[in-house]
Amino acid sequence: MNPSHATALLSLGNSLRQAGYRFMTVTPSTHRRINCRPGNERALDLRGIFGWSRPFAPDLLPPRMLALMREAGIVKEEGSLLRSTLRVSTLGEQLLFHSAYPTDADDSVFFGPDTYRFVGTMERAFPWLGSGPTRAVDIGCGGGAAAITIAHKFPHAEVIGTDVNEKALALAAVNGRLARTANLALRRSDLFDGLEGDFDLIVSNPPYILDEDERPYRHGGGERGAEISRRIVEEGLERLRPGGSLMLYTGVAISGPDDHFLDSVRALLERACGNWHYEELDPDIFGGQLGEPGYEEVERIAAVWLHAVKR
């Protein structure tokens, strides 16, 4: 994204805010069902364009807003209609740009119900941080939802958002400017490889699905999708300052009564942490994934939360 694209996207975001735009992003399956309802074939308002990713007639938008979309390079032509290549979602009072539905491309920037659960649970854990961190990092920040939330809550902190996806970092930069954050920096990094120093707050909502196409925003690696999550715990505790917090939201493929992800990190948590808490936030997410290769023995995918405080 070049500077003129970013400037136009920022202006578009401010225009949407002034217009009172709000949209809560749903799961892909719900999105598909809603868009298949009669009458939803094309957009009739701003939510249809920027939320539901529906094609729209050029005269539906104010000329200035359409000009900003073209200047930002986010308009795709479909015959006589147009379609936005980005969505805009509401998170609290913030608006965040992310990829349009469906998110099929390798460099898609995902935002959805997982984002709301992750950020909401993280915010509820903030009271445990006292006066807050002085140096925090969001590993795999995507469009920057968590990093921006931390930067707003703790304006004295140095907050870093990292991702391997350059498109994600570009959108996070725009979203950070749209949210008026002054203490957010963005870095390209594969987990902790591109980072120096240690932290007193590490948060992450990594990919955790077994994806045949191994799309980076979705594929969690081996161990039934838990490899990246396990690495974040192992490498994160090494980079965490004493008394610092690691907060991880992820999904775990579960067969029978055992949680193999928790079993893989329990000994390390007991050894390195003075206090840690692990819970299932939702026992059954992405149920449709269970019919995909690699999930033959899996009974459910659970959304889990880990908050560990280093000894």
Side-chain angles (χ1 to χ4, degrees):
M1 185 183 298
N2 64 44
S4 64
H5 286 175
T7 299
L9 204 57
L10 178 63
S11 296
L12 177 61
N14 282 319
S15 295
L16 289 170
R17 176 181 285 139
Q18 291 167 8
Y21 173 88
R22 296 188 68 82
F23 185 82
M24 302 292 284
T25 296
V26 296
T27 64
S29 59
T30 296
H31 196 127
R32 181 174 59 254
R33 290 188 183 98
I34 300 302
N35 273 0
C36 286
R37 288 177 177 172
N40 289 345
E41 295 82 7
R42 65 168 63 182
L44 301 176
D45 55 17
L46 292 177
R47 296 176 76 251
I49 296 172
F50 295 105
W52 293 110
S53 297
R54 296 169 187 159
F56 64 96
D59 60 1
L60 181 62
L61 277 178
R64 172 60 178 161
M65 199 173 284
L66 181 57
L68 287 172
M69 290 182 70
R70 293 189 186 280
E71 189 176 343
I74 66 166
V75 177
K76 181 171 65 174
E77 295 189 3
E78 296 185 355
S80 63
L81 300 177
L82 305 175
R83 191 188 299 265
S84 174
T85 61
L86 292 180
R87 272 183 289 181
V88 186
S89 289
T90 304
L91 180 68
E93 297 304 313
Q94 304 302 329
L95 295 181
L96 292 102
F97 287 96
H98 57 102
S99 293
Y101 171 87
T103 50
D104 292 331
D106 284 350
D107 63 352
S108 292
V109 182
F110 185 79
F111 183 106
D114 267 345
T115 313
Y116 294 114
R117 280 189 289 258
F118 169 42
V119 173
T121 309
M122 181 185 73
E123 288 183 304
R124 290 191 291 275
F126 280 166
W128 292 94
L129 303 181
S131 60
T134 58
R135 193 166 192 251
V137 63
D138 178 7
I139 300 295
C141 68
I148 290 169
T149 301
I150 296 168
H152 266 283
K153 177 65 176 179
F154 304 108
H156 64 279
E158 174 193 2
V159 182
I160 301 172
T162 76
D163 211 293
V164 295
N165 183 351
E166 295 284 1
K167 183 176 179 179
L169 294 173
L171 288 182
V174 171
N175 291 335
R177 291 173 63 191
L178 187 58
R180 298 181 177 88
T181 54
N183 55 329
L184 173 65
L186 298 163
R187 302 280 188 272
R188 189 183 188 283
S189 179
D190 184 356
L191 300 188
F192 295 90
D193 289 348
L195 295 173
E196 296 181 355
D198 53 11
F199 304 88
D200 38 29
L201 176 61
I202 297 170
V203 305
S204 187
N205 171 20
Y208 55 79
I209 295 296
L210 283 175
D211 184 47
E212 277 193 299
D213 297 324
E214 298 191 6
R215 288 167 288 187
Y217 80 94
R218 198 166 188 267
H219 186 58
E223 303 169 36
R224 294 188 293 189
E227 178 183 0
I228 291 178
S229 298
R230 176 186 52 76
R231 285 183 57 198
I232 288 171
V233 174
E234 294 174 349
E235 297 175 26
L237 288 175
E238 292 182 359
R239 302 292 288 273
L240 200 60
R241 296 168 180 169
S245 286
L246 169 69
M247 298 182 184
L248 175 72
Y249 171 96
T250 191
V252 176
I254 294 179
S255 299
D258 299 322
D259 181 333
H260 77 282
F261 169 69
L262 177 58
D263 291 342
S264 73
V265 297
R266 185 190 298 274
L268 175 60
L269 293 169
E270 295 287 358
R271 183 170 65 252
C273 300
N275 184 29
W276 60 276
H277 170 75
Y278 181 90
E279 65 174 307
E280 288 192 14
L281 300 179
D282 191 323
D284 183 14
I285 59 173
F286 285 96
Q289 194 68 26
L290 300 183
E292 299 298 317
Y295 288 94
E296 292 81 4
E297 304 300 322
V298 175
E299 295 178 355
R300 59 191 179 94
I301 301 173
V304 303
W305 173 257
L306 170 66
H307 182 183
V309 180
K310 190 169 181 179
R311 182 175 288 112

